[in-house]
Amino acid sequence: MKSLKENFQKAHIVIIGSGIIGKFNALELSELGFCVTLIDPAQHKNCSNAALGLLMGNIYQKRRGRSWALRKQSIELWPQWINFLRKFNDELNIEKPLIQLTTSEEKFKKLKQFINEINDPDLKILEENSIFIKNINKAFQTRKIKGMISFKDGRINPTSLLETLDKYIKHKKINFLEEEIIKIRKSNNQWISTTTNNAEIISNVIILCNSLKAVDLIDSISAIKLKPVIGQAIEVSVNDAEVDLLSLPKQFNIDGKNIIPKSKNKLIIGSTDEYSAKPEKNIFEKLTNFIDNKPTWLIKASITKQWSGIRSRPDGEPSPIMKNLQNGLIICTGFYKNGILLAPACSKWVAKEIKTYLS
Ligand SMILES: Cc1cc2nc3c(=O)[nH]c(=O)nc-3n(C[C@H](O)[C@H](O)[C@H](O)COP(=O)(O)OP(=O)(O)OC[C@H]3O[C@@H](n4cnc5c(N)ncnc54)[C@H](O)[C@@H]3O)c2cc1C
């Protein structure tokens, strides 16, 4: 009888879509000895390339259910994967901590209540005299900003992460096809993926990691619905010698806006809560409305870069969608706001499903 490892080495897994979710599945499955093919016609133009890379895991306040379990697992797995990936990029790291702030007394009260109830040594309320709070309030010329610090959460630079995964994929000689898959079908216990040029790729398993387009390939076998939701970010440049944005924490969130100081006079701001597919008209106003009375340096700041990505949000069920649709057909999509955070937990789940199927 053949060993499991031998079975795995013989099994061919096709991953459709090479964003963070496709690439991470390729990493996990390749490390287990599977033969993997990644297929994507536009892997540099996807949502993953637009992400800010914040890992909001432990900071999540609803500490029960599937979403919490996935976040918790990912936050535990990330440091192990970063350690492993450092062989390919020794600068890759998780920048910690993550700071969550608010200008609302009511929201702050809730944060305090959460911290008191949870009693987690990795989460603390920031005291008024903490250097973080002092510097943030000084920069935004207010006294109203308050919040908490999470020592376990942080940020991975997504560009660096995606580049490192590409290096790994090249090093492991994982097959990569720059093609679009237009049809999948099952024949004689094998899966066939058809490209736009009518080429057919045969595999034992298909994993659909192609975000919104996943439903186009499985229309007749599932009732999964996905909505496109834009995520937008800007880089602003500040023209005020008095301001040093590097005095601020490396990453923080004020009332739903993620903020990452990039240099002494540059700041990245992204929104977590957007609900339509269309770009906002007055993006600067929308992304800087986290404070009522903006300091002059922020009013006068100018946009130096602007970008967005279309995220897939499940319609009628919680995010993300990770399902075994048929024997050998797995779907991983609908990651909405948290694809970077949840990639390790997703690939762990997929590996378990495939091991069970092929054993
Ligand atoms: C501005 C912004 C900020 C964000 N910030 C964060 C953050 O701080 N933290 C976080 O965790 N998440 C963040 N996100 C969300 C995160 O980017 C997404 O959840 C994640 O990128 C989803 O990854 P994915 O691999 O599912 O999809 P994608 O990255 O969109 O990849 C899907 C791929 O499938 C390919 N594809 C489509 N159809 C086919 C086909 N028929 N055949 C082959 N390939 C196909 C596409 O070309 C694409 O490359 C942010 C998103 C945006 C837009």
Side-chain angles (χ1 to χ4, degrees):
M1 202 173 130
K2 287 197 182 97
S3 70
L4 278 183
K5 183 94 180 170
E6 274 176 306
N7 271 348
F8 291 174
Q9 275 160 358
K10 286 209 161 166
H12 180 209
I13 319 275
V14 155
I15 300 176
I16 302 176
S18 185
I20 184 67
I21 300 301
K23 286 189 205 295
F24 228 86
N25 276 308
L27 165 69
E28 177 99 44
L29 295 170
S30 172
E31 282 308 296
L32 287 170
F34 290 107
C35 168
V36 177
T37 298
L38 260 169
I39 308 175
D40 196 315
Q43 61 161 339
H44 298 297
K45 291 187 190 143
N46 53 27
C47 185
S48 302
N49 284 279
L52 299 189
L54 292 169
L55 307 179
M56 295 185 152
N58 207 38
I59 222 159
Y60 190 60
Q61 292 187 34
K62 202 175 130 204
R63 294 198 154 205
R64 65 194 137 79
R66 174 177 170 264
S67 183
W68 166 240
L70 290 173
R71 283 165 194 257
K72 195 166 165 255
Q73 190 185 19
S74 265
I75 282 295
E76 272 151 28
L77 289 169
W78 261 121
Q80 298 165 34
W81 277 121
I82 293 290
N83 247 346
F84 172 81
L85 288 169
R86 282 220 183 101
K87 278 184 240 162
F88 304 91
N89 173 1
D90 59 10
E91 286 180 4
L92 194 69
N93 73 337
I94 304 176
E95 199 70 70
K96 292 179 188 173
L98 185 66
I99 291 178
Q100 186 167 332
L101 303 159
T102 179
T103 56
S104 144
E105 270 303 328
E106 204 179 315
K107 284 187 189 159
F108 182 60
K109 252 192 211 163
K110 283 190 184 149
L111 278 186
K112 263 174 131 174
Q113 199 184 341
F114 164 64
I115 298 279
N116 286 339
E117 282 169 7
I118 219 67
N119 198 16
D120 177 338
D122 290 310
L123 289 175
K124 287 215 166 8
I125 286 292
L126 283 166
E127 300 298 333
E128 259 174 62
N129 61 0
S130 93
I131 190 76
F132 290 127
I133 289 294
K134 275 188 178 168
N135 285 351
I136 290 168
N137 278 312
K138 188 175 163 207
F140 291 101
Q141 293 162 20
T142 178
R143 286 185 178 175
K144 279 172 83 188
I145 302 175
K146 296 174 179 178
M148 67 169 171
I149 183 163
S150 168
F151 298 101
K152 260 193 178 174
D153 296 307
R155 176 179 182 247
I156 301 176
N157 180 322
T159 312
S160 196
L161 172 65
L162 292 168
E163 280 171 9
T164 309
L165 288 169
D166 285 343
K167 272 193 196 165
Y168 169 85
I169 286 162
K170 219 170 161 189
H171 171 82
K172 288 288 266 189
K173 299 192 171 66
I174 291 174
N175 309 312
F176 184 85
L177 295 180
E178 206 173 332
E179 299 276 359
E180 183 184 354
I181 297 300
I182 50 166
K183 200 170 84 186
I184 58 169
R185 66 190 161 90
K186 203 171 189 187
S187 169
N188 295 332
N189 219 22
Q190 290 199 302
W191 283 95
I192 298 156
S193 308
T194 310
T195 70
T196 33
N197 302 321
N198 274 328
E200 292 192 330
I201 301 128
I202 295 168
S203 64
N204 304 90
V205 174
I206 291 180
I207 315 171
L208 298 170
C209 302
N210 52 335
S211 190
L212 288 165
K213 300 280 175 125
V215 288
D216 298 352
L217 298 175
I218 52 160
D219 244 4
S220 56
I221 52 171
S222 95
I224 293 171
K225 285 196 196 122
L226 295 166
K227 279 193 294 200
V229 181
I230 201 162
Q232 300 184 89
I234 52 174
E235 180 195 271
V236 297
S237 190
V238 174
N239 190 8
D240 184 335
E242 298 285 296
V243 177
D244 179 5
L245 300 171
L246 293 179
S247 70
L248 297 172
K250 295 243 166 74
Q251 51 272 322
F252 54 103
N253 174 296
I254 307 183
D255 291 325
K257 303 294 182 297
N258 290 329
I259 305 172
I260 304 160
K262 221 184 143 191
S263 67
K264 192 173 174 295
N265 64 346
K266 278 193 176 147
L267 205 60
I268 292 172
I269 312 174
S271 172
T272 55
D273 300 318
E274 289 180 89
Y275 301 102
S276 88
K278 287 197 190 122
E280 296 277 3
K281 276 204 183 103
N282 197 347
I283 185 73
F284 183 83
E285 276 310 311
K286 297 269 171 177
L287 288 180
T288 55
N289 70 1
F290 54 86
I291 184 131
D292 288 342
N293 296 313
K294 286 179 210 166
T296 316
W297 63 263
L298 189 55
I299 295 170
K300 287 191 174 168
S302 54
I303 296 183
T304 38
K305 270 189 203 162
Q306 184 173 344
W307 66 96
S308 64
I310 294 292
R311 305 171 293 179
S312 58
R313 184 179 193 187
D315 192 1
E317 59 184 307
S319 169
I321 293 173
M322 292 168 20
K323 287 184 182 164
N324 209 328
L325 293 176
Q326 280 185 29
N327 284 340
L329 179 61
I330 290 173
I331 184 167
C332 298
T333 187
F335 283 83
Y336 187 32
K337 299 178 188 180
N338 290 302
I340 307 287
L341 167 68
L342 298 181
C346 166
S347 64
K348 217 19 117 213
W349 176 84
V350 169
K352 197 169 136 255
E353 292 295 307
I354 294 180
K355 281 194 269 185
T356 311
Y357 170 59
L358 294 175
S359 298

